[in-house]
Amino acid sequence: MKSKLLAATGIAAVAAAALTGCSGGEPEASCTNEIVNPEATQVSVWAWYPSFEAVVDLFNESHDDVQICWTNAGQGNDEYTKFSTAIEAGSGAPDVIMLEAEVLSSFSIRDALVDLSEYGAGDVAADYTEGAWKDVSSGDAVYAIPVDGGPMGMLYRQDILDEYGIPVPTTWDEFAAAAQALKDAGAPGVLADFPTNGRAYNQALFAQAGSVPFEYDNAKPTEIGIEVNDQGSKDVLAYWQGLVDQGLVATDDAFTADYNTKLVDGSYAVYIAAAWGPGYLGGLSDADADAVWKAAPVPQWDPANPVQINWGGSTFAVTSQAKDPEAAAIVAKEVFGTEEAWKIGIEEAALFPLWKPVLESDYFRDLEYPFFGGQQINKDVFLPAAAGYTGFTFSPFQNYAYDQLTEELFAMVEGEKDSAAALDDLQASLEQYATEQGFTLN
Amino acid sequence: MTTQLTTAAPPAPAAARPTRRSGGSTLVRRRQRWGWFFVVPFLVVFALFLIFPLCYAFGMSLFTSTLATGTDFTGFANYAKAFSDPLFMEGLLRVLAFAAVMIPAQLLVALAAALVLDSLATWVSKLSRLLIFAPYAIPVVIGALMWSFLYSPRFGPSASIFGLVGLPTPDFLASDTVFGSLVNIVTWQWAGYYMVVIYAALRSIDPSIYEAARIDGANGWQTATRIKVPMISSSMVMVITFALIGTLQFFTEPVVLRNIAQGAIDAAYTPNMYAFSLAFSYSQFNYASAIAFSLGVLVFAGSYVFLFLTRKQSGLK
């Protein structure tokens, strides 16, 4: 009897896990920040930016009609899980939510986001680069206002490369040669890491060789084009498989404690990173005090036709549960729409602005970064990278696509299959999933 | 034979009750009202937190929602899909493999430790008992996190240990070794708990039986295998049932380890993890309910079959 009850409790626990949605909406959110004008319309916001409180205060002090009530509901997937549950439950979502560009389609297909083109998104479109705007749009619909971006560059350890007399690679061929030279010289570390769980990072590497994995337009929500095994992706992956097989790069999972340690202790001489990478590095403890970090453009396949890529980047979207979408849209458009707010974002939170008035300002271009020994990394690397970025389309089941990508890359690194087979298998599994989910394949 | 000694039930007084209840005097009715007063809080909680969620989840599992086409009533289609879904079936086979390895391992460690501690009577045994139990007192998540650091090639001690003997450091998180790494964590965590259960059962045996055994010329090994183990078989059945249910619902340790070994531990590594990923990563709440419900039924059936097969040893008839 006891065990029967135990089994039943077990079932209930599993069921309850699937069911947290029925716990209902949260009570009227309690704000982390102070409300300056209690009379004004309050807009609840979920965001995880460091130092966001100062930005919120700035907004509230400068707005009589709308006030932000801010909560940090966790970073990335933690927040998405809560949001996803709130959508399923029909209540409990905030009015405005911080989302990475890569998950916008996954939420818009569930009718969780408001099309901001009806709430004056067009008024601010000119403030953003073409690539940034494409990332938040699908057809004519605009699902979010861009905030920060992740144009990619190459961060490297000047001291290590100098020690072994290796020039800074500018192409992927030179990159492979540098990796070989480092190994031949008997260096204790390797040139770089190839993380099989790199998700958006790996996808960006493929995109540099022309991969357009998904074609998706919200105007035709049941149609999708999938092509993850194009020649560009296959060439890129064959290149990395070569480096892995010869032991020239590490294959540690990204964002683990091991990886973080190796990033800062010199085990990797190069960190292919987004513009937020320096902030990430700076936040890791036990950094090597003698390390000399520099930033350079990301290596190219064809130096005559450089291709810029992007890794990550966040946006503000208005949820379909917003009580006052008009007021919520004002928050999404204006919270990072001032130079003062961006000064906080850049200097306190290491954000890379997509808002042109700051992006194109002399202040941002000439900013010197102590972490890089005073190098003007925006001028040298990230501004050209951001300017050359033309946008990217993610699938409406991006989490699934990433999980499958990780598995296939891991199988390749473990020697179970070669790079071309890994991508073909990925294509097959994504096509099958899309069909099961009711999509028509283009 | 010996089990009858410990499990003889007291004569049930139930037979006398119905006649009294049918009397219907005001006193009895008042007593019954008070009975309800005590039972209702439990019933409310039971209905609210067990019956209602179960029904809700079951109801959800009868619908199918896809990303592109919305939600439809599809009856048992999700269940049919689940049992032809290779990810779910692979996960099931994997937890069965875990059960086949992990339960005997936990049981042997727990039994051996309990038998040794039972025959010692010094302060060492008290201290050892506490130490063996300690891993259970550590929250599962913390235990798994701790092991994920021990397994780490960088932070863990394995590099220096294997370096001493001149062997290459094994990768505990590769696809073919992660199974053993997980078995190790779970055994470490739970053997102490089961040891305490078995130890308590051993202490409840009447010492005069040992005396009789000694007079009959039994040595320590014979006393352990012929007397102690058979006499605590009902506790052993309970321990195995706990371990079986726990293993079939394997979740926390692989989820924690997945943070550092995403390739080796995929999102559908165990059925519970699969249900979780489906619901919260892929937003397929309906299919996730069906998977969770199927697993629940299988766990229930599995424990029922096990208890049925061992009803003689456990004293449950």
Side-chain angles (χ1 to χ4, degrees), chain B residues 11-193:
Chain B
R17 257 180 215 154
T19 50
R20 246 196 278 164
R21 196 177 285 164
S22 61
S25 72
T26 46
L27 182 73
V28 169
R29 271 205 301 275
R30 197 173 299 152
R31 272 194 190 152
Q32 283 173 341
R33 268 207 297 279
W34 275 107
W36 279 109
F37 176 79
F38 285 114
V39 171
V40 160
F42 165 76
L43 282 183
V44 167
V45 172
F46 185 74
L48 208 63
F49 292 102
L50 197 80
I51 306 294
F52 174 71
L54 275 176
C55 296
Y56 189 90
F58 182 68
M60 256 177 104
S61 70
L62 299 179
F63 290 84
T64 299
S65 66
T66 58
L67 286 172
T69 52
T71 307
D72 295 309
F73 181 80
T74 49
F76 285 90
N78 277 332
Y79 291 90
K81 185 180 166 192
F83 285 96
S84 57
D85 184 342
L87 289 175
F88 180 55
M89 297 317 282
E90 276 167 29
L92 271 183
L93 288 179
R94 196 173 283 123
V95 290
L96 289 178
F98 269 112
V101 178
M102 214 143 65
I103 296 176
Q106 293 175 76
L107 205 68
L108 280 178
V109 172
L111 185 63
L115 285 172
V116 169
L117 292 184
D118 184 48
S119 51
L120 294 174
T122 57
W123 61 273
V124 182
S125 80
K126 273 185 194 159
L127 183 70
S128 322
R129 206 164 65 215
L130 199 68
L131 286 178
I132 299 173
F133 184 70
Y136 177 71
I138 296 171
V140 179
V141 173
I142 307 295
L145 270 178
M146 190 196 82
W147 275 103
S148 72
F149 275 95
L150 290 176
Y151 288 149
S152 149
R154 202 156 191 87
F155 303 105
S158 56
S160 33
I161 293 174
F162 283 89
L164 278 180
V165 222
L167 288 169
T169 315
D171 180 3
F172 295 107
L173 301 168
S175 51
D176 49 349
T177 49
V178 79
F179 186 93
S181 303
L182 284 165
V183 167
N184 175 49
I185 298 179
V186 175
T187 307
W188 173 85
Q189 186 113 39
W190 287 89
Y193 174 71

Side-chain angles (χ1 to χ4, degrees), chain A residues 4-353:
Chain A
K4 263 188 212 169
L5 193 68
L6 205 89
T9 325
I11 301 170
V14 177
L19 260 176
T20 16
C22 74
S23 59
E26 282 163 46
E28 198 56 46
S30 52
C31 316
T32 310
N33 58 301
E34 300 278 330
I35 300 293
V36 183
N37 292 311
E39 313 288 290
T41 315
Q42 284 193 18
V43 171
S44 57
V45 175
W46 284 358
W48 67 76
Y49 303 104
S51 313
F52 190 51
E53 182 147 22
V55 177
V56 170
D57 289 344
L58 193 69
F59 180 93
N60 283 351
E61 279 156 22
S62 58
H63 284 76
D64 299 329
D65 47 346
V66 183
Q67 295 285 293
I68 292 178
C69 170
W70 166 54
T71 312
N72 186 344
Q75 181 160 2
N77 274 330
D78 291 343
E79 189 204 62
Y80 305 156
T81 303
K82 287 181 190 131
F83 184 39
S84 180
T85 315
I87 298 165
E88 192 67 18
S91 68
D95 300 328
V96 172
I97 185 165
M98 170 182 179
L99 295 174
E100 287 162 287
E102 62 190 43
V103 296
L104 287 174
S105 293
S106 305
F107 285 115
S108 67
I109 196 172
R110 297 173 67 195
D111 293 326
L113 305 179
V114 168
D115 179 0
L116 292 174
S117 61
E118 294 161 26
Y119 293 95
D123 307 344
V124 295
D127 288 339
Y128 298 93
T129 61
E130 206 180 317
W133 201 252
K134 185 170 179 249
D135 280 354
V136 296
S137 323
S138 183
D140 292 332
V142 177
Y143 286 105
I145 304 294
V147 177
D148 77 314
M152 285 173 70
M154 184 178 75
L155 313 184
Y156 63 95
R157 289 282 300 269
Q158 182 74 59
D159 50 330
I160 295 179
L161 294 190
D162 283 353
E163 186 182 342
Y164 298 100
I166 296 166
V168 179
T170 60
T171 67
W172 288 111
D173 285 339
E174 289 174 21
F175 186 84
Q180 186 70 54
L182 199 65
K183 190 188 183 191
D184 294 345
V190 290
L191 187 70
D193 184 41
F194 177 69
T196 56
N197 70 339
R199 295 165 73 103
Y201 168 75
N202 295 324
Q203 205 152 52
L205 292 183
F206 297 153
Q208 199 187 17
S211 165
V212 182
F214 303 107
E215 272 174 27
Y216 184 69
D217 179 350
N218 261 65
K220 297 177 201 151
T222 61
E223 288 177 27
I224 188 165
I226 301 175
E227 195 185 6
V228 291
N229 58 347
D230 64 307
Q231 197 53 48
S233 302
K234 282 191 173 170
D235 292 345
V236 172
L237 198 54
Y239 169 84
W240 284 100
Q241 187 183 14
L243 295 183
V244 169
D245 288 349
Q246 295 165 60
L248 299 181
V249 293
T251 55
D252 302 302
D253 266 10
F255 312 118
T256 62
D258 267 4
Y259 172 82
N260 287 344
T261 315
K262 288 182 170 182
L263 271 183
V264 293
D265 76 356
S267 298
Y268 313 138
V270 163
Y271 170 35
I272 307 288
W276 45 262
Y280 184 72
L281 278 179
L284 300 174
S285 54
D286 298 331
D288 187 345
D290 302 329
V292 181
W293 283 96
K294 291 278 174 198
V298 75
Q300 293 293 334
W301 292 107
D302 176 6
N305 300 300
V307 179
Q308 301 301 342
I309 41 179
N310 188 73
W311 175 14
S314 63
T315 68
F316 272 126
V318 174
T319 76
S320 50
Q321 291 177 19
K323 288 173 286 295
D324 185 346
E326 197 115 11
I330 292 177
V331 169
K333 283 186 290 186
E334 296 180 11
V335 60
F336 271 107
T338 61
E339 283 173 27
E340 293 83 2
W342 268 113
K343 233 177 155 129
I344 299 167
I346 292 163
E347 287 170 16
E348 309 290 332
L351 299 181
F352 183 90

